[in-house]
Amino acid sequence: MTATASAKPPRRRLPLLPDSITGWFLLVLAAVLICSHLAVLAVYARDRHQALEAAGLRQAAARMAAAVETVGAAPAEARAPIVRAMGGPGFHLGLTDTPLAEPRRGGALARVLAQLLAERLPGGTDIVVGRLNRDALPERGPGHDRGMGPGARHHMMMTPSRPGQDLTHLAASVRLPDGAWLTGLALLERPERLWRPAFLGWVTGLVLVVAAVAWWGVRRAVRPLRVLEAHAARLGVDVAHAEPLPESGPREVRGAATAFNEMQRRLTRYVEDRTRMLAAISHDLRTPITRLRLRAELMDDDGSGDRAKMLRDLEDMERMIAATLSFARQDAAAEPVEPLDLAGLLRDAAEGRAATAVEAPGTLEILGRSTGLRRVFANLMDNAEAYGHACRVTLRTADGAAVVTVDDDGPGIPTAEREKVFAPFYRLEGSRSRETGGTGLGLSVARTIVHAHGGTITLGDGQGGTGLRVTVTLPRG
């Protein structure tokens, strides 16, 4: 099983999620900022609300205690003007014969106000704190001469002073020494909500400013990674001429660059050592082969054909050695990359081939090495003519790349053998005769050259399911 077959399929990415480090960092940063701001604002709003409520309750308790002391010390006939004078915006007073506060509807705020009043008034004073019992408000009655006139209901009602103002009220009824009840209505103004459009706009603006600064910083931080990506791509297609990666940036990036350069140096040494080793083997083998050829040629021919067979075997060995050395050296890779007309190159390679037809546009320019690509397509055309008796070459563009297909009418290659034929010296059984068979390096050399251009070469079924189709894809830039 190949590594490709055994590899796990990549996970599907949600379309709305970013696919870059910068995008992920900004997404996480924005989420953290928004969540932290919302949590801080929620805590601040709660504490602010509680603080303002406590301040309002303390103020109401102080005004009520002062009113009880003042009104309780005044004669009955003088209380009404005092009650009217001590009332005001947000705090209303009234004298009645019964308490107007309903303690069962007070809640936690009523208990706090009752405790504050108990601390400010003499011990034993009757205090009732709760919501205002509006049904008990007299329009006219015994309390009229003590300050409860016809307009008392209007003044004692909880009416917001501004439209949209969020108010609550508490009523505190305190029994005076003569048995009358002095009721104070405190309107507690709640703080304005923080979750207003203007406030949320400020928060959004802050998040955007922080995200912009973070984007700039992350872009600078990941720039060495993009340089690393470019150098890795260059190393993948041209080991011998790849430049070292600049060892700059943050400590982690410098460490990665150092490791990358060391890997590149080791690969370069490996390729050079392999080339030198094969060149030495080729040189050393050519000397005894030459001696064997001379001895074979000096042998007397006894008519059995052994002499001719020996000479053919020595020719095969020389061809294999020459092909091996060419494959190891990869002479085409040393050629500089330059603009070339791929359509013209294909027509030139097919010139003089009666069985080869080329279908290509007038011109199609790519960046490549003409000598190496000419060798690739000449080899593919040779194979198509040798095994398929006819060769059809088509050039087109797809997704910004140049795509060359070479079709023949031969028996094709079984699916299980299509990857194996790219291995050096591997030949199918049908190609082992001296009349048609080669050294088994043609497709290996072709794939090496195509990969050096950053392209791909694949084998498939020909048109209509018969024959063989070789597809070569080359980047145009």
Side-chain angles (χ1 to χ4, degrees), residues 60-77:
R63 295 182 68 176
M64 187 65 188
V68 169
E69 182 179 357
T70 303
V71 175
E77 61 275 8

Side-chain angles (χ1 to χ4, degrees), residues 115-464:
Q115 181 179 357
L116 293 174
L117 286 174
E119 294 174 355
R120 287 170 170 78
L121 296 176
T125 304
D126 293 334
I127 302 172
V128 180
V129 180
R131 296 293 180 179
L132 179 68
N133 185 2
R134 299 177 183 180
D135 297 333
L137 287 174
E139 292 289 349
R140 298 179 182 273
H144 177 72
D145 57 342
R146 290 180 290 171
M148 296 299 293
R153 178 180 296 272
H154 172 74
H155 292 289
M156 297 290 283
M157 293 291 289
M158 182 189 69
T159 303
S161 59
R162 297 191 304 271
Q165 190 176 12
D166 190 7
L167 300 174
T168 186
H169 77 278
L170 279 177
S173 298
V174 180
R175 187 193 296 271
L176 299 179
D178 61 353
W181 287 85
L182 178 64
T183 300
L185 179 67
L187 299 181
L188 303 178
E189 183 177 354
R190 291 182 177 177
E192 296 181 348
R193 298 182 181 272
L194 292 177
W195 316 109
R196 294 175 296 169
F199 187 80
L200 294 179
W202 278 101
V203 174
T204 304
L206 177 62
V207 172
L208 292 178
V209 170
V210 173
V213 175
W215 178 83
W216 175 81
V218 175
R219 289 273 297 181
R220 287 183 58 87
V222 301
R223 186 179 301 167
L225 297 180
R226 292 194 294 270
V227 176
L228 176 62
E229 177 187 6
H231 278 72
R234 175 68 185 276
L235 179 64
V237 299
D238 193 354
V239 176
H241 300 88
E243 298 179 355
L245 182 67
E247 299 180 7
S248 60
R251 180 180 58 192
E252 295 80 3
V253 175
R254 293 198 305 270
T258 302
F260 180 86
N261 289 335
E262 179 61 25
M263 178 191 67
Q264 179 176 321
R265 285 190 291 270
R266 291 178 179 177
L267 287 175
T268 303
R269 284 199 305 268
Y270 170 75
V271 172
E272 292 175 350
D273 292 344
R274 184 186 68 167
T275 302
R276 286 194 296 268
M277 178 187 68
L278 291 179
I281 293 175
S282 175
H283 180 271
D284 292 342
L285 286 177
R286 280 177 176 175
T287 300
I289 290 175
T290 302
R291 290 199 301 265
L292 288 174
R293 173 183 289 275
L294 290 174
R295 292 175 181 174
E297 290 177 349
L298 294 176
M299 290 175 59
D300 295 331
D301 190 357
D302 57 0
S304 63
D306 291 338
R307 177 175 175 273
K309 292 178 182 178
M310 185 180 299
L311 290 174
R312 285 197 298 268
D313 288 339
L314 291 173
E315 288 179 4
D316 289 343
M317 293 178 65
E318 286 183 338
R319 285 193 299 114
M320 292 181 65
I321 291 174
T324 301
L325 186 59
S326 177
F327 172 72
R329 286 179 175 174
Q330 299 176 16
D331 295 332
E335 183 184 1
V337 175
E338 58 185 2
L340 59 90
D341 181 12
L342 183 58
L345 185 146
L346 292 175
R347 282 189 284 265
D348 291 343
E351 188 176 357
R353 299 174 183 268
T356 298
V358 177
E359 180 183 346
T363 59
L364 181 60
E365 189 173 279
I366 66 170
L367 291 177
R369 303 177 177 94
S370 60
T371 303
L373 292 179
R374 192 184 305 274
R375 182 178 181 184
V376 169
F377 293 115
N379 179 274
L380 296 180
M381 293 176 189
D382 288 341
N383 289 343
E385 291 182 347
Y387 307 124
H389 312 297
C391 177
R392 295 177 298 277
V393 181
T394 304
L395 172 62
R396 59 185 176 88
T397 59
D399 298 329
V403 181
V404 181
T405 56
V406 180
D407 294 284
D408 62 43
D409 297 329
I413 297 178
T415 304
E417 301 286 336
R418 289 174 184 172
E419 181 62 27
K420 297 178 181 179
V421 296
F422 286 107
F425 304 111
Y426 184 87
R427 294 183 294 176
L428 297 174
E429 286 297 326
S431 68
R432 289 187 180 275
S433 67
R434 286 191 176 92
E435 289 74 17
T436 60
T439 61
L441 285 173
L443 288 178
S444 298
V445 173
R447 183 165 67 170
T448 300
I449 296 173
V450 171
H451 284 181
H453 284 77
T456 59
I457 179 171
T458 57
L459 305 181
D461 294 328
Q463 294 179 346

